Amino acid sequence: MGLKAFFKSAFKDMKESTKAQHEVDKANFAAAKAESKAQWEEAKAMLDPEKRKAMMQAERDEQIAAANERKAAAEARIDAAKK
């Protein structure tokens, strides 16, 4: 492989890599933009007392469910240790 072919191949690889990185950057930007909009909408929803109560209750329900799962897992470990 000659020097000219080497550089031609290297620049082609760099071009492809740049295109791929640009696609990654576009996807990350779109995700950040969507997250920002979601935070804005959540903040607006918190102004409505009924929506805020519903969101807070849903969060508490999730926390209770997670705690119950942890408790069940701990009880299973206790039972397994006793055998």
Side-chain angles (χ1 to χ4, degrees):
M1 173 162 42
L3 191 58
K4 185 176 180 180
F6 170 77
F7 279 111
K8 188 174 185 177
S9 175
F11 282 114
K12 181 182 176 189
D13 289 343
M14 285 190 288
K15 183 178 179 181
E16 290 171 0
S17 178
T18 301
K19 284 182 180 180
Q21 186 60 45
H22 181 67
E23 291 300 317
V24 170
D25 291 343
K26 281 180 17 181
N28 283 333
F29 179 74
K33 186 176 176 182
E35 289 170 345
S36 178
K37 183 168 178 77
Q39 288 175 342
W40 171 253
E41 292 299 328
E42 288 173 347
K44 281 186 3 185
M46 291 301 258
L47 295 175
D48 182 13
E50 293 302 317
K51 286 184 181 179
R52 187 177 79 238
K53 284 181 187 178
M55 289 174 63
M56 292 176 78
Q57 185 60 44
E59 186 175 324
R60 285 191 295 265
D61 292 342
E62 288 176 17
Q63 290 174 350
I64 290 170
N68 287 338
E69 289 176 14
R70 289 182 20 228
K71 180 181 172 188
E75 289 173 350
R77 287 176 39 207
I78 291 169
D79 292 342
K82 286 184 179 179
K83 291 182 182 181

